[in-house]
Amino acid sequence: MADISQDVEVKVATTAADNFVKSYYPALNNAHGRPSNHNDLTSFYIKPNAASPLQADISLNGNIISDPAKLQSTFESEVGKCYYDVQSYDCHVLNANYNVGADESRLGPAKDGSKMSIIVMISGSVKYSKENAEGEVRGFTENIVLVPNWAAQGPKAPKGLRSWLIQSQSFRLVV
């Protein structure tokens, strides 16, 4: 199979980044203790399995978060209300033939862009509030590496799964 074209790389990466930003930040805005959203954050991250023991790498302001479930509980117990306002984002393909966790039948290049890893750079503002106290608006920057969700690919894949999952995340509040 031929290598992926640059046009396909750009289209797939842009669509993946756009879909990610439009779903992840609203989930963060609603993650503060609402039972119906309990699993929203963890569903955005890779999950270790026998084929790929790789775990999500999460850093918030330099603090390592051990796994997505810990991130979810941090938002539920410590953050209170929050509102993220994404003002800009950009994306680039890191690896057009990402194979970590893919079964052996999928190891070759994919012309449709379904095997890429993508970096998404996001900036915006966030406001954290606790109880009745209004928080100040702060700037943030975040770098996210998205990788294919192998369980969402193929003709027998369950409907409704995310196509791209977070492998690595680095979040920083800025001045």
Side-chain angles (χ1 to χ4, degrees):
M1 192 175 274
D3 287 340
I4 183 171
S5 73
Q6 189 173 17
D7 288 347
V8 171
E9 281 186 1
V10 169
K11 182 173 178 19
V12 171
T14 302
T15 301
D18 192 48
N19 291 339
F20 172 78
V21 168
K22 288 179 179 175
S23 60
Y24 184 71
Y25 291 95
L28 285 177
N29 290 342
N30 292 323
H32 54 278
R34 295 185 184 164
S36 63
N37 293 319
H38 181 72
N39 292 317
D40 280 356
L41 294 185
T42 60
S43 71
F44 286 92
Y45 294 84
I46 60 171
K47 292 156 188 61
N49 59 48
S52 176
L54 191 63
Q55 293 193 17
D57 176 29
I58 306 167
S59 171
L60 300 180
N61 286 319
N63 299 305
I64 303 300
I65 305 295
S66 58
D67 60 46
K70 175 68 174 152
L71 177 69
Q72 178 75 38
S73 70
T74 299
F75 268 86
E76 290 175 351
S77 64
E78 297 176 27
V79 172
K81 289 185 178 181
C82 62
Y83 179 72
Y84 286 83
D85 181 24
V86 173
Q87 292 156 355
S88 67
Y89 58 94
D90 192 13
C91 63
H92 298 279
V93 173
L94 287 176
N95 183 347
N97 190 27
Y98 180 84
N99 287 308
V100 176
D103 67 45
E104 290 187 28
S105 65
R106 297 190 50 97
L107 292 181
K111 288 172 71 172
D112 64 357
S114 62
K115 292 185 58 188
M116 300 187 310
S117 61
I118 304 162
I119 187 161
V120 185
M121 290 111 357
I122 305 117
S123 63
S125 62
V126 62
K127 181 177 183 178
Y128 299 112
S129 303
K130 284 211 173 204
E131 296 172 18
N132 293 329
E134 284 293 315
E136 67 178 301
V137 176
R138 302 272 312 263
F140 78 88
T141 183
E142 187 156 39
N143 294 305
I144 303 239
V145 175
L146 298 175
V147 296
N149 180 1
W150 303 118
Q153 294 188 10
K156 296 181 182 178
K159 299 266 186 231
L161 293 179
R162 299 186 191 288
S163 299
W164 302 92
L165 299 174
I166 298 171
Q167 177 187 23
S168 181
Q169 174 180 23
S170 177
F171 173 90
R172 286 279 184 186
L173 287 172
V174 294
V175 180

